[in-house]
Amino acid sequence: MDKPKAIVLCRWLVGALSALAALCSASDFHPASPAAKPSHEMAQLAIIIDDLGYNLRLGQRTLNLAGDITVAVLPFTPHGQELAEYAYQQGKEVMLHAPMSNHHDYPLGRGGLRSGMSKAEFLRVLRQNLANVPHVKGVNNHMGSQLTEESAPMGWLMAELQQRQLYFVDSRTSAQTQALIQAQHIGLPSRKRDVFLDDKRDTTVIYQQLVVALKKAQQQGSALAIGHPYPETLQVLEQLPELLSRYKVTLVKASRLMTSATPRAVKVVSTTYCLAPPASLWPSTWAPVDPFGYRPELAEIDE
């Protein structure tokens, strides 16, 4: 064989062997992409049940749900402190469900954070609310379609929560909410709601919404859903362990899903207004009534 042909053949053999080595290496080693979750790490779902404090029986039923359900307790309600203590004993995470002014003039009751408050008054009421609910780890807004749109009071709120090492969940009752933006601005651990479970009090619809939340958790790695202590919601959530197993999702406390990321654009999502309790159940003037149909005269039977 002449010299030029030998050189060409040699080069071809070197290239072929290099390609074969690379192929063998690739077949034995499959590095995960940076965005991929380890195969042993399951998607996570947090479920917050709002509005605890009025109905003792439904509150206790909520707290007897299996797993790491998180509960948001309204301040200065007839059974708020008792249910918060029971939640703590059950290993559930407790949040303050802070009443905030809305565009529909629904009454807030004692502890309401209202548009137009001075900073001093706002912080005084907020601190009273936090003192009233024991074992609080975080805060979310009750109603608040008006107040969450205002940057200044949301800034006051987030600064106070940061000092107390609490987190914030934006229930997103308005597309113009500034709450999450203000939380992220100072690096406060925070998160927005992904799914409302029970805008419609129908077990079929609630079940479908729960499946939506589970699928979002799979797609995103985690998701946060909000519901209320309606009998229909609790009936569906009593099936949760089987659904978690089916969809390979882990139920976690809300605090596990908080992020303290630097400021970023917040995607506008559904602005379904959370009337919890529904408007039809609110009194025309505030009175300490049970918006979930609890009747004191039936207390001995219900409890």
Side-chain angles (χ1 to χ4, degrees), residues 33-99:
S33 67
K37 293 175 71 69
S39 59
H40 65 277
E41 189 174 332
M42 295 175 69
Q44 297 180 327
L45 173 67
I47 297 178
I48 300 172
I49 301 299
D50 284 349
D51 290 350
L52 263 69
Y54 284 103
N55 189 301
L56 183 60
R57 180 174 57 85
L58 291 177
Q60 290 173 333
R61 184 177 171 186
T62 299
L63 295 170
N64 287 330
L65 289 169
D68 285 331
I69 295 290
T70 300
V71 293
V73 179
L74 285 161
F76 303 106
T77 48
H79 304 291
Q81 292 183 335
E82 179 180 356
L83 288 170
E85 289 289 354
Y86 185 57
Y88 181 74
Q89 294 169 11
Q90 294 291 96
K92 310 296 190 195
E93 189 162 274
V94 178
M95 301 177 66
L96 168 68
H97 196 38

Side-chain angles (χ1 to χ4, degrees), residues 18-294:
S18 298
L20 181 61
L23 180 61
C24 291
S25 176
S27 66
D28 293 333
F29 178 64
H30 301 279
S33 67
K37 293 175 71 69
S39 59
H40 65 277
E41 189 174 332
M42 295 175 69
Q44 297 180 327
L45 173 67
I47 297 178
I48 300 172
I49 301 299
D50 284 349
D51 290 350
L52 263 69
Y54 284 103
N55 189 301
L56 183 60
R57 180 174 57 85
L58 291 177
Q60 290 173 333
R61 184 177 171 186
T62 299
L63 295 170
N64 287 330
L65 289 169
D68 285 331
I69 295 290
T70 300
V71 293
V73 179
L74 285 161
F76 303 106
T77 48
H79 304 291
Q81 292 183 335
E82 179 180 356
L83 288 170
E85 289 289 354
Y86 185 57
Y88 181 74
Q89 294 169 11
Q90 294 291 96
K92 310 296 190 195
E93 189 162 274
V94 178
M95 301 177 66
L96 168 68
H97 196 38
M100 298 186 189
S101 58
N102 56 83
H103 287 301
H104 303 274
D105 294 325
Y106 296 129
L108 301 181
R110 185 178 174 187
L113 298 169
R114 296 176 171 81
S115 180
M117 280 183 165
S118 67
K119 181 178 180 179
E121 183 182 11
F122 181 96
L123 292 177
R124 178 180 59 80
V125 174
L126 173 61
R127 289 165 183 167
Q128 288 176 345
N129 292 348
L130 289 166
N132 183 255
V133 179
H135 309 297
V136 164
K137 298 294 184 182
V139 174
N140 71 341
N141 55 293
H142 173 58
M143 298 190 286
S145 59
Q146 180 183 36
L147 194 68
T148 61
E149 294 178 353
E150 300 177 16
S151 297
M154 290 301 98
W156 304 335
L157 171 64
M158 303 315 162
E160 182 71 16
L161 299 188
Q162 188 177 59
Q163 289 182 9
R164 294 171 177 262
Q165 297 184 313
L166 302 176
Y167 63 82
F168 180 79
V169 172
D170 188 347
S171 301
R172 292 196 65 80
T173 55
S174 167
Q176 286 73 48
T177 176
Q178 298 296 305
L180 190 62
I181 294 172
Q182 292 298 318
Q184 291 177 337
H185 180 68
I186 62 172
L188 180 75
S190 54
R191 177 93 182 213
K192 68 177 179 64
R193 176 268 309 165
D194 292 296
V195 176
F196 272 136
L197 296 176
D198 48 15
D199 285 330
K200 186 173 183 180
R201 290 180 59 175
D202 177 276
T203 54
T204 300
V205 175
I206 295 168
Y207 185 92
Q208 291 170 347
Q209 287 296 99
L210 180 56
V211 170
V212 168
L214 289 162
K215 290 182 176 179
K216 277 186 176 287
Q218 289 179 326
Q219 294 162 2
Q220 301 172 172
S222 65
L224 191 150
I226 291 179
H228 304 89
Y230 303 137
E232 298 88 346
T233 305
L234 299 179
Q235 180 182 339
V236 172
L237 290 178
E238 284 161 354
Q239 307 172 49
L240 184 59
E242 187 274 331
L243 287 170
L244 291 167
S245 176
R246 184 190 309 174
Y247 285 91
K248 295 181 170 56
V249 173
T250 300
L251 183 67
V252 298
K253 294 178 172 68
S255 58
R256 290 280 300 276
L257 300 190
M258 297 303 112
T259 174
S260 54
T262 53
R264 56 185 174 83
V266 179
K267 182 180 178 182
V268 174
V269 298
S270 168
T271 59
T272 304
Y273 193 83
C274 174
L275 290 183
S280 60
L281 296 178
W282 283 101
S284 56
T285 58
W286 179 258
V289 299
D290 171 22
F292 294 96
Y294 177 79

